[in-house]
Amino acid sequence: MDFSPFPFFFLFLFLLQNPIFASNLHKIKLLRSEPELLAQPTSPDEIPPTRYFEVTKPIQLPKTKPCSYHILQHDFGFTYGKPPVLANYTPPSHCPSSKFSKIVLEWTATCKGRQFDRIFGVWLGGVELLRSCTAEPRATGIVWTVQKDITRYYTLLMKDQTLAVYLGNLVDKTYTGVYNVDIFIHFYPVVNDDLAYGYGGAPADLILPISRNLPLNDGLWFEIQNSNDTEVKQFKIPQNAYRAVLEVYVSFHENDEFWYTNPPNDYLAANNITDTPGNGPFREVVVTLDGKVVGAVWPFTVIYTGGVNPLLWRPITGIGSFDLPSYDIEVTPFLGRILDGDTHSFGFRVTNALNVWYIDANLHLWLDLKSGRTEGEVLNYIEKPLVESLVSDFVGLNGNFWTSARRSVWSTGWVRSSLGNITTSFIQDFSYNNSMVMGNDGSLQTVNQIIHFNDSVHAMQPSSYVHFISETYRRFLLKLYTDQLDQGNDTYLSVANVTLGFDVRKFKSAAFGFASSFLKNLQNAEGSIIVKNNLVVSGSGSTQEDYNSKSNDFCYFRKVSSSNYTILHDKEGNPCKKRSRTPLGFGFGKKFPFLLF
Ligand SMILES: *[C@@H]1O[C@H](CO)[C@@H](O)[C@H](O)[C@H]1NC(C)=O
Ligand SMILES: *[C@@H]1O[C@H](CO)[C@@H](O)[C@H](O)[C@H]1NC(C)=O
Ligand SMILES: *[C@@H]1O[C@H](CO)[C@@H](O)[C@H](O)[C@H]1NC(C)=O
Ligand SMILES: *[C@@H]1O[C@H](CO)[C@@H](O)[C@H](O)[C@H]1NC(C)=O
Ligand SMILES: *[C@@H]1O[C@H](CO)[C@@H](O)[C@H](O)[C@H]1NC(C)=O
Ligand SMILES: *[C@@H]1O[C@H](CO)[C@@H](O)[C@H](O)[C@H]1NC(C)=O
Ligand SMILES: *[C@@H]1O[C@H](CO)[C@@H](O)[C@H](O)[C@H]1NC(C)=O
Ligand SMILES: *[C@@H]1O[C@H](CO)[C@@H](O)[C@H](O)[C@H]1NC(C)=O
């Protein structure tokens, strides 16, 4: 056999020179014919471009007319390994108001021809605003738009900055797609001053980049290459901070693009397989402050637009692929250790990592504008070490693998500022289960994985009865079935079914209010490809998605399905009865900043 007897995924997020590793050559070869698989009309110019999209709720906008700025236009052709594309950013100057209740980043791109899915990032002053993956084009062209609420970066956006965009693309005779990109920022002026900072609470007073410095060739993210690799960034904070949140961006590529399908090393060794990534299916991102663990991220399994079977993600893209989630770690309990005016360092590592993870972060800081100094102390800190277990019963290439893991991180500390002496606790609880089956001598693989990622922040000031609680419960689901069926005559059928989804529940309570929200997002996709002599000769893909979001002030659902580029059903609406709007605000305003969650 000229390739490993193993279920595989067709399109790697393509980062290195084509082709990446000799052993994956067959996967890439498969794709050479793939974009033409679904017969297209003879004169592509007459066909309008296909619009790809990620299902998400619309951003709630105020009724004011936005001031919009076109901050970048660029065609990304030969950009791989080059410096990011830069632009000078200046805050809005000809807007009737200088206060905004909503700020929205808009990315719009077109592409035509054939191209891989490419990871990209958008940074302002080194602070990452968007991590995303391009859509894969077709001969008749595609267009897609990503809109992201970037109001939380308010203070950053009110100063002159350098905008940096890295999208590493390569163009040749086969991979002809150039990504034509436009970036806009829309500023929505406030309706009235009470809502000056939006419905969610006050954005940070200062945001420090925890990323690599310009100038460089590549993205500003750190690259984690193996499980021993810790990437560190030094920083210094003002001595009057009273709250700190580290927002972490994560994406996984090459040998770890499908980390949740990686078999354990003993299975690979027993079968003499050397060209398939291993280290088992468990990964976690660990964040340290001056070498001590302050939190972790057990990431959602984003499948990029070329992943598993690219036809599954056209035009409905995989959950999170156009706007990768970032994860917040409350570091307020540790503030007392870093208020000394000295240099400190955040570190990132990934348990069991294989090459390569792209990680960076933004440190959101709230400053006490009434005093030059705050003080604090860590009161309690418990890091229950990771407990990981693996059970397997494989014989030859067939078998079952159960991997599970748990971790908790618990910290409490006080910070005294002009707001009072507030004690903050941050608790993270994680659990992970992955059950994997290998069958048909390695050509069949199923994976069934659940991650629980819960955290809570409690902030208390006994003297003034301030008591704030925010709890978040996340569940990430992934079910994957892939099989290759030999059809004889050098032909085989490759089938894949994917269930991908998450649900998140949030509760917030403060002295004068209570709010909750719920979001469930689930995709079911199935597709198949017929491969003859290592070339795809035909294929199909269908996807259904169910999105359901409820909160005190806004509800939204969408049910949509597609097959072979065509939308079959699409329904959206507001499932809640009309009721009076109760903005999440509790009346604290800027004074008590914990309303941001
Ligand atoms: C990590 O470090 C350990 C101890 O030095 C070493 O045994 C192991 O081979 C290293 N792993 C990698 C992937 O470099
Ligand atoms: C793996 O390789 C070793 C040494 O070449 C050989 O003895 C063994 O039979 C091989 N095992 C399998 C399952 O092919
Ligand atoms: C702040 O509150 C904590 C917990 O009640 C207490 O241990 C600490 O001494 C207080 N700090 C100051 C400066 O009052
Ligand atoms: C996370 O919260 C959910 C809902 O309360 C609970 O069922 C689950 O056991 C929690 N998981 C962990 C690891 O704490
Ligand atoms: C993982 O599996 C164990 C054993 O089957 C079970 O007790 C636990 O609740 C599971 N956890 C999750 C998050 O599904
Ligand atoms: C196998 O492929 C050859 C060449 O494409 C064709 O002539 C032959 O009819 C095929 N046989 C079967 C059983 O499909
Ligand atoms: C995969 O999806 C197809 C189409 O919905 C279904 O017929 C088949 O039973 C599924 N297979 C598995 C193993 O889930
Ligand atoms: C998609 O393509 C497959 C294979 O050509 C076909 O069986 C299926 O009916 C198509 N779906 C639609 C909705 O046309």
Side-chain angles (χ1 to χ4, degrees):
M1 234 189 246
D2 63 1
F3 50 85
S4 74
F6 218 77
F8 56 78
F9 300 98
F10 292 109
L11 189 40
F12 286 75
L13 197 66
F14 210 60
L15 300 162
L16 303 174
Q17 301 295 322
N18 317 343
I20 327 176
F21 349 87
S23 62
N24 288 325
L25 226 45
H26 64 280
K27 303 170 190 175
I28 287 150
K29 270 196 221 145
L30 276 174
L31 282 154
R32 290 191 185 269
S33 63
E34 178 276 321
E36 281 152 22
L37 299 164
L38 301 164
Q40 304 209 341
T42 41
S43 49
D45 284 347
E46 291 160 19
I47 309 293
T50 310
R51 181 166 280 279
Y52 291 5
F53 60 93
E54 180 175 345
V55 174
T56 180
K57 65 182 171 207
I59 299 169
Q60 282 206 277
L61 298 170
K63 291 205 167 64
T64 53
K65 190 176 170 300
C67 300
S68 296
Y69 298 83
H70 188 183
I71 57 170
L72 187 82
Q73 193 291 314
H74 193 82
D75 299 330
F76 290 84
F78 293 95
T79 45
Y80 183 83
K82 300 267 170 62
V85 173
L86 304 180
N88 289 327
Y89 168 86
T90 50
S93 52
H94 56 265
C95 224
S97 165
S98 62
K99 282 187 175 170
F100 308 101
S101 57
K102 217 40 140 193
I103 307 173
V104 175
L105 177 77
E106 181 184 322
W107 164 283
T108 292
T110 60
C111 192
K112 202 170 192 172
R114 218 183 251 148
Q115 195 46 269
F116 289 96
D117 46 357
R118 310 288 189 177
I119 192 76
F120 68 88
V122 177
W123 293 263
L124 191 66
V127 169
E128 186 158 355
L129 303 183
L130 175 69
R131 178 82 57 98
S132 182
C133 170
T134 61
E136 289 190 354
R138 57 192 303 205
T140 51
I142 61 159
V143 57
W144 84 99
T145 294
V146 183
Q147 289 193 321
K148 181 169 177 180
D149 182 350
I150 55 166
T151 316
R152 79 182 291 195
Y153 306 103
Y154 195 102
T155 38
L156 185 77
L157 289 154
M158 295 301 122
K159 294 193 186 93
D160 288 354
Q161 308 281 1
T162 298
L163 180 91
V165 180
Y166 181 78
L167 186 167
N169 195 19
L170 287 173
V171 178
D172 62 18
K173 273 195 296 207
T174 311
Y175 299 98
T176 52
V178 170
Y179 288 106
N180 315 113
V181 174
D182 288 283
I183 302 180
F184 301 85
I185 301 186
H186 307 291
F187 294 84
Y188 291 83
V190 291
V191 183
N192 64 55
D193 269 2
D194 293 342
L195 293 178
Y197 291 99
Y199 310 123
D205 299 299
L206 178 67
I207 307 174
L208 296 180
I210 309 294
S211 60
R212 293 196 295 173
N213 296 330
L214 290 168
L216 48 63
N217 298 334
D218 208 327
L220 278 65
W221 43 56
F222 294 102
E223 302 185 7
I224 312 276
Q225 295 177 341
N226 61 54
S227 53
N228 291 346
D229 192 356
T230 299
E231 294 294 322
V232 170
K233 171 81 178 209
Q234 298 203 320
F235 67 95
K236 228 184 232 190
I237 65 166
Q239 288 182 269
N240 61 340
Y242 63 92
R243 184 179 175 216
V245 170
L246 189 70
E247 179 194 17
V248 184
Y249 279 87
V250 170
S251 60
F252 27 82
H253 309 286
E254 298 181 43
N255 285 324
D256 261 357
E257 178 174 348
F258 304 105
W259 49 271
Y260 38 86
T261 67
N262 286 12
N265 294 338
D266 58 350
Y267 169 84
L268 296 174
N271 290 293
N272 290 345
I273 299 171
T274 54
D275 61 355
T276 296
N279 276 7
F282 174 73
R283 300 290 182 275
E284 70 165 345
V285 177
V286 179
V287 179
T288 57
L289 174 60
D290 296 332
K292 281 211 147 169
V293 176
V294 292
V297 173
W298 291 21
F300 178 69
T301 49
V302 176
I303 298 178
Y304 306 120
T305 57
V308 184
N309 169 352
L311 296 174
L312 304 179
W313 317 120
R314 304 172 180 197
I316 306 173
T317 200
I319 293 173
S321 59
F322 283 173
D323 183 4
L324 271 76
S326 63
Y327 305 87
D328 285 353
I329 293 177
E330 182 76 40
V331 289
T332 308
F334 296 96
L335 259 186
R337 295 218 178 123
I338 55 174
L339 282 169
D340 54 7
D342 285 347
T343 299
H344 296 271
S345 64
F346 278 114
F348 306 104
R349 64 168 196 264
V350 180
T351 304
N352 299 333
L354 291 177
N355 201 27
V356 63
W357 287 65
Y358 290 167
I359 301 180
D360 63 20
N362 305 323
L363 182 60
H364 296 251
L365 292 165
W366 285 259
L367 306 178
D368 187 353
L369 302 175
K370 291 194 188 137
S371 107
R373 287 294 287 268
T374 53
E375 57 171 335
E377 195 185 3
V378 182
L379 289 175
N380 203 343
Y381 168 70
I382 301 166
E383 183 218 338
K384 288 206 191 129
L386 175 72
V387 184
E388 193 188 343
S389 76
L390 167 73
V391 180
S392 69
D393 66 358
F394 68 89
V395 177
L397 287 161
N398 300 313
N400 298 280
F401 307 84
W402 296 275
T403 310
S404 63
R406 288 192 80 89
R407 184 197 277 280
S408 297
V409 187
W410 211 84
S411 55
T412 304
W414 59 264
V415 176
R416 201 179 64 139
S417 66
S418 68
L419 302 174
N421 180 1
I422 298 176
T423 298
T424 303
S425 300
F426 179 55
I427 302 169
Q428 289 188 308
D429 284 309
F430 301 93
S431 75
Y432 166 97
N433 272 3
N434 178 299
S435 96
M436 193 191 296
V437 179
M438 299 288 188
N440 295 353
D441 285 334
S443 70
L444 178 150
Q445 183 180 28
T446 66
V447 171
N448 194 342
Q449 178 173 292
I450 297 183
I451 295 174
H452 279 265
F453 180 164
N454 298 346
D455 55 45
S456 67
V457 178
H458 290 223
M460 279 159 288
Q461 188 187 1
S463 57
S464 67
Y465 306 103
V466 170
H467 192 170
F468 172 79
I469 300 174
S470 163
E471 295 178 346
T472 306
Y473 302 93
R474 304 177 190 82
R475 198 164 60 114
F476 301 155
L477 303 177
L478 173 79
K479 280 188 200 173
L480 192 61
Y481 160 84
T482 54
D483 199 4
Q484 279 177 50
L485 307 160
D486 192 1
Q487 312 285 87
N489 221 8
D490 289 326
T491 302
Y492 64 90
L493 171 70
S494 173
V495 297
N497 289 12
V498 183
T499 299
L500 179 66
F502 68 85
D503 48 70
V504 180
R505 288 166 197 278
K506 291 186 186 199
F507 300 95
K508 295 174 208 183
S509 91
F512 309 116
F514 176 81
S516 68
S517 67
F518 169 73
L519 169 59
K520 192 176 167 77
N521 192 0
L522 191 69
Q523 290 183 318
N524 280 296
E526 65 258 337
S528 61
I529 294 183
I530 297 209
V531 183
K532 190 174 168 75
N533 297 323
N534 284 349
L535 288 174
V536 176
V537 292
S538 66
S540 66
S542 305
T543 300
Q544 296 98 50
E545 183 160 4
D546 231 320
Y547 183 99
N548 217 314
S549 152
K550 287 184 179 165
S551 68
N552 289 34
D553 61 340
F554 184 55
C555 299
Y556 176 76
F557 82 90
R558 186 166 180 188
K559 221 176 162 60
V560 55
S561 67
S562 69
S563 182
N564 308 345
Y565 291 100
T566 304
I567 297 291
L568 302 179
H569 303 283
D570 192 359
K571 230 182 171 167
E572 64 172 349
N574 182 342
C576 303
K577 276 200 235 141
K578 280 265 179 258
R579 60 171 99 162
S580 62
R581 284 170 66 89
T582 33
L584 296 175
F586 312 118
F588 281 109
K590 184 145 171 100
K591 220 173 117 205
F592 200 68
F594 294 92
L595 303 171
L596 188 66
F597 297 91

